[in-house]
Each structure stands twice: as structure tokens, then as C-alpha cells.
Amino acid sequence: DAGVIQSPRHEVTEMGQEVTLRCKPISGHDYLFWYRQTMMRGLELLIYFNNNVPIDDSGMPEDRFSAKMPNASFSTLKIQPSEPRDSAVYFCASRAPPGDTGELFFGEGSRLTVL
Amino acid sequence: EDQVTQSPEALRLQEGESSSLNCSYTVSGLRGLFWYRQDPGKGPEFLFTLYSAGEEKEKERLKATLTKKESFLHITAPKPEDSATYLCAVQTDSWGKLQFGAGTQVVVTP
């Protein structure tokens, strides 16, 4: 299994630009989570989906952030416009059914730097 | 509000020097406690899940235990390749979302 695949691995952009991060979950996993990691705040949950439907987006910091999951094998996290404080590593993770517990499998992350 | 606190923040060990990491939690209803390992530039890698007080799990030099208020990750006779940041996380809902602690950075020197 290829695991959770994220792209790009690194992104450097200027303030005000649009950023799109992409994620391909593990095949057969129907839960998908987006996390953000910074030194100051650690790993923070932004949003999660079940069967492509957003369940809870209360962790999304501002309206500049949006996430979609158009099908079971693809999700995007978009920041528009980007700001320097958005600089962080963004992780996507997926979880397999069934049941209500089970480990999350994380991708390698997308390191975003906003200048 | 649910809280997960890990200590110490950083730990430096000599190879072979056993030690323990602590994860204390205050949650409204624990469905599972998870331990992950994270190497620099990588995503967290799953180690263990514990579901009830008294449960223990082992993997090579690592052993995780759980009480009603905290979990310990014991590292026995560590090797340099055990150097990493160890994260604990709690699950309190039925969707599987995890709330993470800040992590303990472990460095094992030869």
C-alpha cells in the first residue's frame, strides 16, 4: 500500500497568493483528517470528513481556509489569501472503517512557507 | 475542556539508559489513547492504542501503559534509532478525531 500521499511536499509562496494542498488517502479509508503542525501550537485538527462529507470544520482558523473532498480518493485544503502566520506543516491522515476507534495513518506532510 | 499534557518536553538518554515518558489527560470520555512516533520531516507513525485502564502493550523496546489519568511510554535499553519525538493523543468522540499533546523529544546518544 502506498500510504497517504500528499503534495506538494514543500511550498514557498508570497503573502496574498492562493495555496492548494492535496491529499490522496489510503484506498478503502473513509475518514480523512487535515491537521496543521507548528512549534508553538503542535498538531491542531482543522477539519475532517467521513464518506466525503465534512463532519466538523470548527478547527479551521478563518474563512481564508477551505477544504473539499470531491471523491473518496482526493481532498484539497485551500488557503486564499495566504498570510505569513499560515506557515506550518500541513498533514493529511486517513482511517479505516469499521468501528469508532482506530489509528490514523498520516502522510509525509506539506511544508508551507508564506513570505 | 479536554487537555493532554506530555512531560518532559525533551529527554536526552545514553544508549542503554531506560526511561519513561508521561502523558496525562483530562477528558470527558476516553475512547482510546494513542502513541505515535515522529521523525524530523516525517508524519507521525502509529505505535500503540490503549483503550482501558490497566492495559499494556509492547513493541520491541517500547511499552505503553494506561491508568485512568495518565499513560506512560517506557523505553527499555534505548538505541540511537529510538531518537524521535513521541506524541500521545486521545480520542473522545465516535468519529476518530485525535487531540494531540505537545510531544516529548527524545535523543539517544551512543
Side-chain angles (χ1 to χ4, degrees):
Chain A
D1 198 323
V4 176
I5 299 172
Q6 292 187 244
S7 65
R9 290 295 315 279
H10 301 275
E11 174 99 5
V12 180
T13 191
E14 293 191 347
M15 183 173 62
Q17 296 298 305
E18 178 179 295
V19 174
T20 299
L21 308 178
R22 298 173 178 80
C23 175
K24 176 179 168 55
I26 294 172
S27 177
H29 285 196
D30 62 357
Y31 295 85
L32 185 137
F33 302 79
W34 282 100
Y35 281 84
R36 176 172 70 175
Q37 187 175 42
T38 60
M39 289 293 291
M40 290 297 295
R41 300 175 68 89
L43 270 167
E44 301 175 279
L45 178 64
L46 300 177
I47 185 172
Y48 58 101
F49 296 81
N50 177 229
N51 290 321
N52 313 334
V53 176
I55 302 301
D56 185 352
D57 65 355
S58 61
M60 297 284 258
E62 300 171 35
D63 291 344
R64 299 184 295 106
F65 286 70
S66 62
K68 294 182 179 179
M69 193 163 186
N71 57 62
S73 59
F74 184 67
S75 177
T76 59
L77 178 68
K78 186 176 291 187
I79 308 172
Q80 166 64 18
S82 57
E83 296 183 4
R85 58 188 166 139
D86 302 331
S87 297
V89 182
Y90 291 81
F91 287 103
C92 174
S94 67
R95 181 169 84 81
D100 59 4
T101 60
E103 65 267 28
L104 303 188
F105 292 84
F106 283 80
E108 298 281 78
S110 294
R111 180 175 294 276
L112 173 64
T113 302
V114 184
L115 303 174
Chain B
E1 184 179 333
D2 296 340
Q3 285 195 330
V4 182
T5 305
Q6 291 188 246
S7 62
E9 291 184 7
L11 190 60
R12 192 173 184 89
L13 301 171
Q14 290 272 66
E15 186 172 0
E17 179 187 1
S18 301
S19 188
S20 295
L21 315 181
N22 178 264
C23 173
S24 62
Y25 60 91
T26 306
V27 300
S28 53
L30 183 71
R31 288 179 175 264
L33 187 138
F34 296 74
W35 282 99
Y36 282 80
R37 169 193 171 122
Q38 186 175 24
D39 293 302
K42 304 284 189 180
E45 177 186 344
F46 171 74
L47 293 173
F48 304 108
T49 310
L50 302 166
Y51 293 105
S52 56
E55 190 174 359
E56 299 182 352
K57 288 193 177 174
E58 286 187 70
K59 179 180 180 180
E60 295 182 355
R61 295 175 294 281
L62 301 178
K63 179 180 176 180
T65 61
L66 182 66
T67 72
K68 289 186 177 180
K69 294 183 179 181
E70 58 193 349
S71 177
F72 292 93
L73 184 66
H74 308 277
I75 310 178
T76 302
K79 298 182 177 181
E81 53 262 42
D82 295 321
S83 297
T85 295
Y86 292 86
L87 299 162
C88 80
V90 296
Q91 180 190 342
T92 57
D93 73 348
S94 62
W95 298 104
K97 69 177 182 181
L98 298 182
Q99 180 177 342
F100 283 84
T104 294
Q105 184 179 25
V106 174
V107 174
V108 183
T109 57

